[in-house]
Amino acid sequence: MRKKDEDIIEIDFVRLLKALWQRAWILVFAMMVFGAVGFSYANFMVTPLYQSSALMYVNNSTLSVGNTSVSLADLTASQSLVNTYLVILKTRLTLNDVIEEADLTYSYEQLCNMITAEAVEETEIFRINVTSPDAKEAELIANTIAEILPEKISEIMDGSSVRTVDYAIVPMQKASPNITSYTLKGILLGLVLSGGVIVLLELFDDQIHDEEYLINTYQLPVLAVLPDLVSTRPGKGYYKYREAAEDRKP
């Protein structure tokens, strides 16, 4: 970072890229460490959750028995009832009966947070999702809701009901955590943090590393350069100037 005057600060992006390249091992090391932390956290510290789902169909009884024609208005009416049924699903009256029927130890608030429901692609079918640390418990709760909800809806609303399309099954795979996602997030975090530290150190580094810095920053002529007598790498410091002198010898 070069301060040209009081208002303008010049940042040499080429220099920053070189600094990142020279310290690439730090970036790789940080990515490996943070990736391992993310993997370990997701695999050993986060409680795995399982999700089981049941499908319900909104039955609009305004359709007369034996009438095979279904108008667009009938379908729209059925779809509009989905949101109403989802509200009834989350009521204390419904979930307290689910707790009693399934012999659960959860409170109403706890069970409510375990349940989500949504319409399936804007149809008159909606899905009930139950998430639990126990796969069998998730299946039990979802199927208990599928059995109790139709009765509750028929008691509250006249002329409409729901039917079970598909009962829940015991999930075989975890719904969360996503170990791959946690690992990738850890790798990305390690890259960003280590890269940010390297860039900040380079920006606030006010040491003079070469004569080019003096020429570009202060427009001063360089009369002499002292070689680096510490570095032993070929092409660096004292050896750089010694090799140049040897090349000039006849």
Side-chain angles (χ1 to χ4, degrees), residues 33-155:
V33 171
F34 278 82
V37 171
F39 173 84
S40 301
Y41 176 78
N43 203 29
F44 301 110
M45 300 184 65
V46 178
T47 302
L49 297 176
Y50 298 86
Q51 188 176 87
S52 187
S53 303
L55 291 177
M56 309 292 291
Y57 169 73
V58 175
N59 179 34
N60 188 354
S61 62
T62 57
L63 300 177
S64 59
V65 178
N67 184 8
T68 57
S69 61
V70 179
S71 65
L72 179 60
D74 295 328
L75 293 177
T76 303
S78 296
Q79 294 174 8
S80 64
L81 289 174
V82 170
N83 293 329
T84 303
Y85 291 171
L86 297 184
V87 173
I88 297 176
L89 166 63
K90 289 294 192 77
T91 59
R92 190 177 299 272
L93 180 65
T94 302
L95 294 187
N96 282 340
D97 285 351
V98 172
I99 293 173
E100 182 179 356
E101 180 69 21
D103 193 20
L104 303 174
T105 58
Y106 299 111
S107 64
Y108 162 76
E109 289 78 11
Q110 290 174 329
L111 182 59
C112 188
N113 292 331
M114 296 168 60
I115 300 171
T116 59
E118 58 185 356
V120 179
E121 298 179 355
E122 299 183 355
T123 64
E124 58 270 25
I125 296 177
F126 62 95
R127 179 185 290 108
I128 301 172
N129 303 314
V130 178
T131 304
S132 171
D134 189 336
K136 293 183 178 180
E137 183 181 69
E139 179 263 345
L140 173 63
I141 296 174
N143 285 332
T144 304
I145 293 174
E147 294 175 358
I148 291 179
L149 185 60
E151 180 181 353
K152 293 299 178 183
I153 290 177
S154 62
E155 292 176 357

Side-chain angles (χ1 to χ4, degrees), residues 15 23 196-206:
R15 178 182 170 186
R23 298 171 176 85
V197 170
I198 293 173
V199 169
L200 288 177
L201 291 177
E202 190 68 23
L203 289 177
F204 290 98
D205 183 9
D206 55 359

